[in-house]
Each structure stands twice: as structure tokens, then as C-alpha cells.
Amino acid sequence: MTSPQRLALFIDGANLYATTKTLGFDIDYKRLLKEFKARGQLVRAFYYTALIEDQEYSSIRPLIDWLDYNGYRVVTKPTKEFVDSTGRRKVKGNMDIELAIDALELAPYIDEMILFSGDGDFRSLVEAMQRRGVRVSVISTISTQPPMIADELRRQADEFLEIMQLAPRIGRDPTERAERLQRSSQAGGFEEKAETRSRYTVEKRYGIRQPAVSGDEDGPESA
């Protein structure tokens, strides 16, 4: 009897957020985990994101907590602010090194790496994993203009998976958003306005996907 393929997920949180935001759908992380558990022996599911340390409360924290308790290995580090050559303040929160180190350390124990990212900087990592006998599948999209995946990364991967084809199986039901809007409207709109302000501030500055409201599957109360 053939043993099931040993899989590991590596999710570039900021890149996946940017991709799904452009495409207009939200990831249901419970369904995503279920989808890939059905494809083989899921050894690890990593989620990488930067966190804003100087905030008393980070609106991404409910998502991080839920992932931590529900089968994901969350890897975070604080963002860093700096001033560029034009005098503009910018924020840096790149997780490429952390992802690459974890992947290379896990290489002897997996048969396939599934990378949720379109970042061309990962091309060298994909090549290094392939030299170690690991098959690499990359999940992003070419349905946008320009595509969200770098051409060199797509060429290097053993398989490219269009995320829009996976959306029916790993996406959140769009009716949930409509139901939240209806509840907010009945409450006078205050809940939705407060949520929107919080989400907009963090998303605009950091490109980090924000969870919706308490009780969604992205929140700690949804397990």
C-alpha cells in the first residue's frame, strides 16, 4: 500500500491577503485546512505575518489566536518603521527569511511544499527545495492585470495552482458579509463603521489581512 504524500503549507499572510483582496473574496482558514488534509498527510501548516507591536490592541490578533488554536503554526515578528531617502515613513515586515528557514529544515520530512505566495523572491527557495527532492506547488493568481505571481516563480514551481479555481473550496461564503452588514444596519451602523475604520487603518499601512467580527471562523470564538 502506497503511503500518502506528506504535505506542508507555507502561507505568506500579507501576500495572500493582497491576492484575495484584489480578487474580491476572503479565505476560510478552516475550509483551507480541510481541503489540504484531504490531499495527503498534512505535516505542518505555517502562517507568516508581521505584527504591529506598539498598538495596545491589534485587529489581526483574533485571527492569529484562532489559527494558533486550530491546526496552524503561526510565525510572527514585529514590524519596523524607517524613513526612506525621500523622507517618507515606511513600514517593513518581511517574513521571507523565516519562511525559507522553516521550509529547508522541514524538507527531509515532506514530499510536497505548498506555497501560498506570488513573491518572486521565493524562486531560489523553490529551487533549493527541489534539489532536496521536494515537489513544490505554488498558489496565487494570473487572472489579474498584472498577475499577482512573479513569472520566475511560476516557471520554477513544479505546479502552479490558480487560487480562483480553489475559491469555491477554501473561500468564505459571501453571504456572511451581507449578513454582517444587515446586523450592523439594524444596530444603527456603529459596529460596522468602527470595524471598517480599524480594518482600513491596519490594512492600508501594513497590507495585513484583518479578520471580520468576533464569531467568524477567523476569530477565536469560532472553533
Side-chain angles (χ1 to χ4, degrees):
M1 184 176 178
T2 305
S3 300
Q5 287 284 101
R6 299 170 299 170
L7 314 174
L9 305 182
F10 295 84
I11 300 172
D12 178 350
N15 192 278
L16 179 59
Y17 162 75
T19 299
T20 55
K21 182 179 180 182
T22 301
L23 294 171
F25 78 95
D26 291 326
I27 295 291
D28 181 329
Y29 287 93
K30 186 180 295 183
R31 296 182 70 197
L32 186 151
L33 207 61
K34 182 179 179 181
E35 171 69 20
F36 287 94
K37 282 182 176 179
R39 297 188 179 205
Q41 179 189 348
L42 188 59
V43 177
R44 287 284 186 276
F46 290 98
Y47 183 94
Y48 300 85
T49 190
L51 290 177
I52 311 161
E53 269 203 334
D54 60 352
Q55 284 193 339
E56 183 177 347
Y57 170 76
S58 171
S59 54
I60 196 176
R61 178 56 64 182
L63 171 62
I64 296 303
D65 288 343
W66 187 90
L67 294 173
D68 248 340
Y69 281 108
N70 290 275
Y72 289 86
R73 184 72 56 88
V74 179
V75 182
T76 66
K77 73 177 180 183
T79 57
K80 295 181 180 179
E81 290 197 15
F82 66 97
V83 179
D84 66 12
S85 58
T86 66
R88 294 180 179 178
R89 294 181 67 189
K90 292 191 175 182
V91 175
K92 182 178 181 182
N94 192 298
M95 301 290 294
D96 292 3
I97 295 298
E98 288 79 4
L99 191 155
I101 290 173
D102 287 339
L104 291 170
E105 288 184 342
L106 203 59
Y109 309 103
I110 60 175
D111 304 304
E112 183 176 3
M113 171 187 184
I114 299 168
L115 175 64
F116 281 82
S117 183
D119 190 341
D121 289 344
F122 287 124
R123 189 206 66 80
S124 295
L125 170 62
V126 171
E127 185 180 21
M129 294 294 284
Q130 290 166 335
R131 288 198 302 266
R132 288 161 172 78
V134 177
R135 175 182 172 83
V136 181
S137 296
V138 175
I139 298 177
S140 187
T141 187
I142 57 172
S143 63
T144 57
Q145 291 298 329
M148 297 295 290
I149 184 170
D151 186 63
E152 61 270 24
L153 179 62
R154 185 183 173 198
R155 288 173 180 268
Q156 186 66 49
D158 293 292
E159 183 180 13
F160 166 72
L161 299 174
E162 169 60 55
I163 198 168
M164 285 303 293
Q165 295 180 0
L166 291 173
R169 299 196 295 275
I170 67 172
R172 181 186 295 166
D173 186 343
T175 60
E176 293 180 12
R177 178 65 173 172
E179 290 172 357
R180 288 198 302 272
L181 288 171
Q182 184 178 8
R183 291 197 303 268
S184 176
S185 176
Q186 293 170 349
F190 298 112
E191 176 186 337
E192 181 67 22
K193 290 177 182 177
E195 176 196 354
T196 301
R197 284 196 297 270
S198 175
R199 288 161 63 91
Y200 176 78
T201 300
V202 179
E203 289 174 0
K204 183 178 179 183
R205 289 190 67 191
Y206 300 96
I208 299 173
R209 180 184 181 279
Q210 301 305 300
V213 295
S214 179
D216 281 346
E217 58 268 14
D218 285 353
E221 298 178 5
S222 64

PDB file of all heavy atoms in Angstrom, residues 170-197:
ATOM      1  N   ILE A 170     -12.113  26.851  -0.614  1.00  0.00           N
ATOM      2  CA  ILE A 170     -11.376  27.443   0.516  1.00  0.00           C
ATOM      3  C   ILE A 170     -11.832  28.862   0.824  1.00  0.00           C
ATOM      4  O   ILE A 170     -11.331  29.480   1.760  1.00  0.00           O
ATOM      5  CB  ILE A 170      -9.855  27.450   0.267  1.00  0.00           C
ATOM      6  CG1 ILE A 170      -9.493  28.405  -0.878  1.00  0.00           C
ATOM      7  CG2 ILE A 170      -9.337  26.043  -0.006  1.00  0.00           C
ATOM      8  CD1 ILE A 170      -7.995  28.611  -1.045  1.00  0.00           C
ATOM      9  N   GLY A 171     -12.793  29.377   0.064  1.00  0.00           N
ATOM     10  CA  GLY A 171     -13.264  30.737   0.292  1.00  0.00           C
ATOM     11  C   GLY A 171     -14.403  30.794   1.283  1.00  0.00           C
ATOM     12  O   GLY A 171     -15.131  29.824   1.490  1.00  0.00           O
ATOM     13  N   ARG A 172     -14.562  31.938   1.900  1.00  0.00           N
ATOM     14  CA  ARG A 172     -15.668  32.160   2.821  1.00  0.00           C
ATOM     15  C   ARG A 172     -16.947  32.415   2.034  1.00  0.00           C
ATOM     16  O   ARG A 172     -16.909  33.028   0.967  1.00  0.00           O
ATOM     17  CB  ARG A 172     -15.366  33.356   3.724  1.00  0.00           C
ATOM     18  CG  ARG A 172     -16.453  33.658   4.743  1.00  0.00           C
ATOM     19  CD  ARG A 172     -16.155  34.931   5.495  1.00  0.00           C
ATOM     20  NE  ARG A 172     -14.956  34.793   6.298  1.00  0.00           N
ATOM     21  CZ  ARG A 172     -14.313  35.828   6.848  1.00  0.00           C
ATOM     22  NH1 ARG A 172     -14.744  37.047   6.633  1.00  0.00           N
ATOM     23  NH2 ARG A 172     -13.247  35.636   7.590  1.00  0.00           N
ATOM     24  N   ASP A 173     -18.061  31.956   2.549  1.00  0.00           N
ATOM     25  CA  ASP A 173     -19.358  32.170   1.920  1.00  0.00           C
ATOM     26  C   ASP A 173     -19.635  33.675   1.845  1.00  0.00           C
ATOM     27  O   ASP A 173     -19.678  34.353   2.872  1.00  0.00           O
ATOM     28  CB  ASP A 173     -20.446  31.483   2.755  1.00  0.00           C
ATOM     29  CG  ASP A 173     -21.814  31.537   2.090  1.00  0.00           C
ATOM     30  OD1 ASP A 173     -22.003  32.344   1.171  1.00  0.00           O
ATOM     31  OD2 ASP A 173     -22.700  30.764   2.517  1.00  0.00           O
ATOM     32  N   PRO A 174     -19.813  34.239   0.636  1.00  0.00           N
ATOM     33  CA  PRO A 174     -20.015  35.696   0.508  1.00  0.00           C
ATOM     34  C   PRO A 174     -21.280  36.193   1.187  1.00  0.00           C
ATOM     35  O   PRO A 174     -21.405  37.385   1.476  1.00  0.00           O
ATOM     36  CB  PRO A 174     -20.079  35.903  -1.014  1.00  0.00           C
ATOM     37  CG  PRO A 174     -20.428  34.572  -1.581  1.00  0.00           C
ATOM     38  CD  PRO A 174     -19.801  33.562  -0.663  1.00  0.00           C
ATOM     39  N   THR A 175     -22.230  35.308   1.469  1.00  0.00           N
ATOM     40  CA  THR A 175     -23.458  35.751   2.139  1.00  0.00           C
ATOM     41  C   THR A 175     -23.198  36.163   3.582  1.00  0.00           C
ATOM     42  O   THR A 175     -23.979  36.916   4.168  1.00  0.00           O
ATOM     43  CB  THR A 175     -24.526  34.646   2.130  1.00  0.00           C
ATOM     44  OG1 THR A 175     -24.022  33.489   2.828  1.00  0.00           O
ATOM     45  CG2 THR A 175     -24.881  34.253   0.698  1.00  0.00           C
ATOM     46  N   GLU A 176     -22.069  35.698   4.172  1.00  0.00           N
ATOM     47  CA  GLU A 176     -21.763  36.060   5.550  1.00  0.00           C
ATOM     48  C   GLU A 176     -21.537  37.560   5.689  1.00  0.00           C
ATOM     49  O   GLU A 176     -21.928  38.177   6.664  1.00  0.00           O
ATOM     50  CB  GLU A 176     -20.535  35.300   6.037  1.00  0.00           C
ATOM     51  CG  GLU A 176     -20.763  33.806   6.163  1.00  0.00           C
ATOM     52  CD  GLU A 176     -19.524  33.086   6.641  1.00  0.00           C
ATOM     53  OE1 GLU A 176     -18.578  33.778   7.084  1.00  0.00           O
ATOM     54  OE2 GLU A 176     -19.492  31.856   6.582  1.00  0.00           O
ATOM     55  N   ARG A 177     -20.855  38.137   4.681  1.00  0.00           N
ATOM     56  CA  ARG A 177     -20.603  39.580   4.727  1.00  0.00           C
ATOM     57  C   ARG A 177     -21.921  40.347   4.675  1.00  0.00           C
ATOM     58  O   ARG A 177     -22.116  41.319   5.411  1.00  0.00           O
ATOM     59  CB  ARG A 177     -19.709  39.965   3.544  1.00  0.00           C
ATOM     60  CG  ARG A 177     -19.403  41.463   3.434  1.00  0.00           C
ATOM     61  CD  ARG A 177     -18.591  41.937   4.607  1.00  0.00           C
ATOM     62  NE  ARG A 177     -18.165  43.317   4.429  1.00  0.00           N
ATOM     63  CZ  ARG A 177     -17.580  44.029   5.364  1.00  0.00           C
ATOM     64  NH1 ARG A 177     -17.333  43.486   6.542  1.00  0.00           N
ATOM     65  NH2 ARG A 177     -17.231  45.270   5.138  1.00  0.00           N
ATOM     66  N   ALA A 178     -22.831  39.902   3.822  1.00  0.00           N
ATOM     67  CA  ALA A 178     -24.129  40.564   3.710  1.00  0.00           C
ATOM     68  C   ALA A 178     -24.899  40.474   5.021  1.00  0.00           C
ATOM     69  O   ALA A 178     -25.560  41.435   5.445  1.00  0.00           O
ATOM     70  CB  ALA A 178     -24.935  39.937   2.575  1.00  0.00           C
ATOM     71  N   GLU A 179     -24.795  39.321   5.701  1.00  0.00           N
ATOM     72  CA  GLU A 179     -25.493  39.152   6.973  1.00  0.00           C
ATOM     73  C   GLU A 179     -24.917  40.081   8.030  1.00  0.00           C
ATOM     74  O   GLU A 179     -25.657  40.654   8.842  1.00  0.00           O
ATOM     75  CB  GLU A 179     -25.389  37.700   7.423  1.00  0.00           C
ATOM     76  CG  GLU A 179     -26.202  36.734   6.565  1.00  0.00           C
ATOM     77  CD  GLU A 179     -25.929  35.286   6.914  1.00  0.00           C
ATOM     78  OE1 GLU A 179     -25.061  35.050   7.786  1.00  0.00           O
ATOM     79  OE2 GLU A 179     -26.561  34.408   6.322  1.00  0.00           O
ATOM     80  N   ARG A 180     -23.582  40.259   8.035  1.00  0.00           N
ATOM     81  CA  ARG A 180     -22.958  41.170   8.996  1.00  0.00           C
ATOM     82  C   ARG A 180     -23.408  42.607   8.752  1.00  0.00           C
ATOM     83  O   ARG A 180     -23.658  43.359   9.688  1.00  0.00           O
ATOM     84  CB  ARG A 180     -21.432  41.060   8.925  1.00  0.00           C
ATOM     85  CG  ARG A 180     -20.876  39.781   9.501  1.00  0.00           C
ATOM     86  CD  ARG A 180     -19.387  39.912   9.797  1.00  0.00           C
ATOM     87  NE  ARG A 180     -18.632  40.264   8.613  1.00  0.00           N
ATOM     88  CZ  ARG A 180     -18.145  39.381   7.755  1.00  0.00           C
ATOM     89  NH1 ARG A 180     -18.362  38.086   7.948  1.00  0.00           N
ATOM     90  NH2 ARG A 180     -17.444  39.761   6.714  1.00  0.00           N
ATOM     91  N   LEU A 181     -23.484  42.982   7.461  1.00  0.00           N
ATOM     92  CA  LEU A 181     -23.924  44.324   7.127  1.00  0.00           C
ATOM     93  C   LEU A 181     -25.364  44.562   7.577  1.00  0.00           C
ATOM     94  O   LEU A 181     -25.712  45.647   8.057  1.00  0.00           O
ATOM     95  CB  LEU A 181     -23.803  44.550   5.612  1.00  0.00           C
ATOM     96  CG  LEU A 181     -22.373  44.699   5.075  1.00  0.00           C
ATOM     97  CD1 LEU A 181     -22.378  44.704   3.552  1.00  0.00           C
ATOM     98  CD2 LEU A 181     -21.711  45.954   5.611  1.00  0.00           C
ATOM     99  N   GLN A 182     -26.193  43.535   7.425  1.00  0.00           N
ATOM    100  CA  GLN A 182     -27.587  43.654   7.838  1.00  0.00           C
ATOM    101  C   GLN A 182     -27.692  43.819   9.350  1.00  0.00           C
ATOM    102  O   GLN A 182     -28.447  44.650   9.848  1.00  0.00           O
ATOM    103  CB  GLN A 182     -28.384  42.437   7.378  1.00  0.00           C
ATOM    104  CG  GLN A 182     -29.877  42.543   7.695  1.00  0.00           C
ATOM    105  CD  GLN A 182     -30.649  41.344   7.184  1.00  0.00           C
ATOM    106  OE1 GLN A 182     -30.074  40.369   6.718  1.00  0.00           O
ATOM    107  NE2 GLN A 182     -31.964  41.409   7.265  1.00  0.00           N
ATOM    108  N   ARG A 183     -26.907  43.024  10.105  1.00  0.00           N
ATOM    109  CA  ARG A 183     -26.913  43.142  11.565  1.00  0.00           C
ATOM    110  C   ARG A 183     -26.454  44.525  11.996  1.00  0.00           C
ATOM    111  O   ARG A 183     -26.990  45.127  12.917  1.00  0.00           O
ATOM    112  CB  ARG A 183     -26.025  42.066  12.195  1.00  0.00           C
ATOM    113  CG  ARG A 183     -26.546  40.645  12.061  1.00  0.00           C
ATOM    114  CD  ARG A 183     -25.847  39.728  13.046  1.00  0.00           C
ATOM    115  NE  ARG A 183     -24.405  39.737  12.880  1.00  0.00           N
ATOM    116  CZ  ARG A 183     -23.745  38.890  12.118  1.00  0.00           C
ATOM    117  NH1 ARG A 183     -24.407  37.960  11.421  1.00  0.00           N
ATOM    118  NH2 ARG A 183     -22.428  38.934  12.036  1.00  0.00           N
ATOM    119  N   SER A 184     -25.416  45.015  11.306  1.00  0.00           N
ATOM    120  CA  SER A 184     -24.886  46.336  11.636  1.00  0.00           C
ATOM    121  C   SER A 184     -25.908  47.421  11.367  1.00  0.00           C
ATOM    122  O   SER A 184     -26.068  48.356  12.143  1.00  0.00           O
ATOM    123  CB  SER A 184     -23.623  46.596  10.817  1.00  0.00           C
ATOM    124  OG  SER A 184     -23.147  47.900  11.039  1.00  0.00           O
ATOM    125  N   SER A 185     -26.619  47.282  10.253  1.00  0.00           N
ATOM    126  CA  SER A 185     -27.640  48.263   9.890  1.00  0.00           C
ATOM    127  C   SER A 185     -28.740  48.301  10.941  1.00  0.00           C
ATOM    128  O   SER A 185     -29.212  49.369  11.334  1.00  0.00           O
ATOM    129  CB  SER A 185     -28.225  47.921   8.520  1.00  0.00           C
ATOM    130  OG  SER A 185     -29.273  48.808   8.196  1.00  0.00           O
ATOM    131  N   GLN A 186     -29.137  47.132  11.420  1.00  0.00           N
ATOM    132  CA  GLN A 186     -30.173  47.055  12.440  1.00  0.00           C
ATOM    133  C   GLN A 186     -29.710  47.662  13.763  1.00  0.00           C
ATOM    134  O   GLN A 186     -30.512  48.135  14.555  1.00  0.00           O
ATOM    135  CB  GLN A 186     -30.593  45.599  12.650  1.00  0.00           C
ATOM    136  CG  GLN A 186     -31.311  45.001  11.441  1.00  0.00           C
ATOM    137  CD  GLN A 186     -31.511  43.507  11.577  1.00  0.00           C
ATOM    138  OE1 GLN A 186     -30.953  42.873  12.463  1.00  0.00           O
ATOM    139  NE2 GLN A 186     -32.320  42.941  10.686  1.00  0.00           N
ATOM    140  N   ALA A 187     -28.364  47.649  13.976  1.00  0.00           N
ATOM    141  CA  ALA A 187     -27.812  48.210  15.213  1.00  0.00           C
ATOM    142  C   ALA A 187     -27.455  49.681  15.060  1.00  0.00           C
ATOM    143  O   ALA A 187     -26.816  50.268  15.925  1.00  0.00           O
ATOM    144  CB  ALA A 187     -26.570  47.417  15.630  1.00  0.00           C
ATOM    145  N   GLY A 188     -27.808  50.267  13.931  1.00  0.00           N
ATOM    146  CA  GLY A 188     -27.542  51.689  13.730  1.00  0.00           C
ATOM    147  C   GLY A 188     -26.275  51.969  12.967  1.00  0.00           C
ATOM    148  O   GLY A 188     -25.892  53.116  12.771  1.00  0.00           O
ATOM    149  N   GLY A 189     -25.558  50.904  12.554  1.00  0.00           N
ATOM    150  CA  GLY A 189     -24.369  51.077  11.727  1.00  0.00           C
ATOM    151  C   GLY A 189     -23.097  51.326  12.502  1.00  0.00           C
ATOM    152  O   GLY A 189     -22.026  51.401  11.927  1.00  0.00           O
ATOM    153  N   PHE A 190     -23.176  51.478  13.826  1.00  0.00           N
ATOM    154  CA  PHE A 190     -21.986  51.835  14.599  1.00  0.00           C
ATOM    155  C   PHE A 190     -20.945  50.725  14.585  1.00  0.00           C
ATOM    156  O   PHE A 190     -19.747  50.967  14.498  1.00  0.00           O
ATOM    157  CB  PHE A 190     -22.375  52.174  16.044  1.00  0.00           C
ATOM    158  CG  PHE A 190     -23.291  53.359  16.134  1.00  0.00           C
ATOM    159  CD1 PHE A 190     -24.609  53.208  16.537  1.00  0.00           C
ATOM    160  CD2 PHE A 190     -22.842  54.631  15.795  1.00  0.00           C
ATOM    161  CE1 PHE A 190     -25.455  54.288  16.611  1.00  0.00           C
ATOM    162  CE2 PHE A 190     -23.694  55.722  15.869  1.00  0.00           C
ATOM    163  CZ  PHE A 190     -25.002  55.550  16.278  1.00  0.00           C
ATOM    164  N   GLU A 191     -21.391  49.483  14.691  1.00  0.00           N
ATOM    165  CA  GLU A 191     -20.460  48.351  14.721  1.00  0.00           C
ATOM    166  C   GLU A 191     -19.662  48.281  13.427  1.00  0.00           C
ATOM    167  O   GLU A 191     -18.444  48.133  13.443  1.00  0.00           O
ATOM    168  CB  GLU A 191     -21.243  47.055  14.927  1.00  0.00           C
ATOM    169  CG  GLU A 191     -20.386  45.804  14.869  1.00  0.00           C
ATOM    170  CD  GLU A 191     -21.220  44.537  14.938  1.00  0.00           C
ATOM    171  OE1 GLU A 191     -22.352  44.609  15.448  1.00  0.00           O
ATOM    172  OE2 GLU A 191     -20.729  43.502  14.474  1.00  0.00           O
ATOM    173  N   GLU A 192     -20.345  48.399  12.292  1.00  0.00           N
ATOM    174  CA  GLU A 192     -19.677  48.288  11.006  1.00  0.00           C
ATOM    175  C   GLU A 192     -18.699  49.433  10.780  1.00  0.00           C
ATOM    176  O   GLU A 192     -17.601  49.245  10.272  1.00  0.00           O
ATOM    177  CB  GLU A 192     -20.714  48.263   9.877  1.00  0.00           C
ATOM    178  CG  GLU A 192     -20.131  48.115   8.481  1.00  0.00           C
ATOM    179  CD  GLU A 192     -19.477  46.763   8.267  1.00  0.00           C
ATOM    180  OE1 GLU A 192     -19.815  45.822   9.004  1.00  0.00           O
ATOM    181  OE2 GLU A 192     -18.615  46.669   7.373  1.00  0.00           O
ATOM    182  N   LYS A 193     -19.100  50.667  11.190  1.00  0.00           N
ATOM    183  CA  LYS A 193     -18.218  51.809  10.988  1.00  0.00           C
ATOM    184  C   LYS A 193     -16.948  51.671  11.809  1.00  0.00           C
ATOM    185  O   LYS A 193     -15.851  51.963  11.343  1.00  0.00           O
ATOM    186  CB  LYS A 193     -18.958  53.100  11.354  1.00  0.00           C
ATOM    187  CG  LYS A 193     -20.054  53.461  10.362  1.00  0.00           C
ATOM    188  CD  LYS A 193     -20.803  54.703  10.819  1.00  0.00           C
ATOM    189  CE  LYS A 193     -21.934  55.044   9.849  1.00  0.00           C
ATOM    190  NZ  LYS A 193     -22.715  56.221  10.319  1.00  0.00           N
ATOM    191  N   ALA A 194     -17.077  51.239  13.062  1.00  0.00           N
ATOM    192  CA  ALA A 194     -15.902  51.062  13.917  1.00  0.00           C
ATOM    193  C   ALA A 194     -14.995  49.989  13.363  1.00  0.00           C
ATOM    194  O   ALA A 194     -13.772  50.127  13.334  1.00  0.00           O
ATOM    195  CB  ALA A 194     -16.342  50.708  15.343  1.00  0.00           C
ATOM    196  N   GLU A 195     -15.603  48.876  12.914  1.00  0.00           N
ATOM    197  CA  GLU A 195     -14.810  47.784  12.340  1.00  0.00           C
ATOM    198  C   GLU A 195     -14.087  48.239  11.091  1.00  0.00           C
ATOM    199  O   GLU A 195     -12.903  47.957  10.898  1.00  0.00           O
ATOM    200  CB  GLU A 195     -15.726  46.609  12.000  1.00  0.00           C
ATOM    201  CG  GLU A 195     -14.982  45.475  11.298  1.00  0.00           C
ATOM    202  CD  GLU A 195     -15.937  44.498  10.632  1.00  0.00           C
ATOM    203  OE1 GLU A 195     -17.154  44.643  10.813  1.00  0.00           O
ATOM    204  OE2 GLU A 195     -15.444  43.626   9.921  1.00  0.00           O
ATOM    205  N   THR A 196     -14.786  48.989  10.231  1.00  0.00           N
ATOM    206  CA  THR A 196     -14.189  49.435   8.981  1.00  0.00           C
ATOM    207  C   THR A 196     -13.011  50.356   9.233  1.00  0.00           C
ATOM    208  O   THR A 196     -11.973  50.251   8.581  1.00  0.00           O
ATOM    209  CB  THR A 196     -15.246  50.158   8.118  1.00  0.00           C
ATOM    210  OG1 THR A 196     -16.312  49.255   7.856  1.00  0.00           O
ATOM    211  CG2 THR A 196     -14.650  50.636   6.807  1.00  0.00           C
ATOM    212  N   ARG A 197     -13.147  51.287  10.183  1.00  0.00           N
ATOM    213  CA  ARG A 197     -12.040  52.187  10.492  1.00  0.00           C
ATOM    214  C   ARG A 197     -10.819  51.415  10.956  1.00  0.00           C
ATOM    215  O   ARG A 197      -9.693  51.674  10.537  1.00  0.00           O
ATOM    216  CB  ARG A 197     -12.473  53.192  11.575  1.00  0.00           C
ATOM    217  CG  ARG A 197     -13.382  54.296  11.059  1.00  0.00           C
ATOM    218  CD  ARG A 197     -13.436  55.428  12.078  1.00  0.00           C
ATOM    219  NE  ARG A 197     -14.007  54.988  13.338  1.00  0.00           N
ATOM    220  CZ  ARG A 197     -15.292  55.041  13.621  1.00  0.00           C
ATOM    221  NH1 ARG A 197     -16.149  55.488  12.728  1.00  0.00           N
ATOM    222  NH2 ARG A 197     -15.735  54.642  14.800  1.00  0.00           N
TER     223      ARG A 197
END
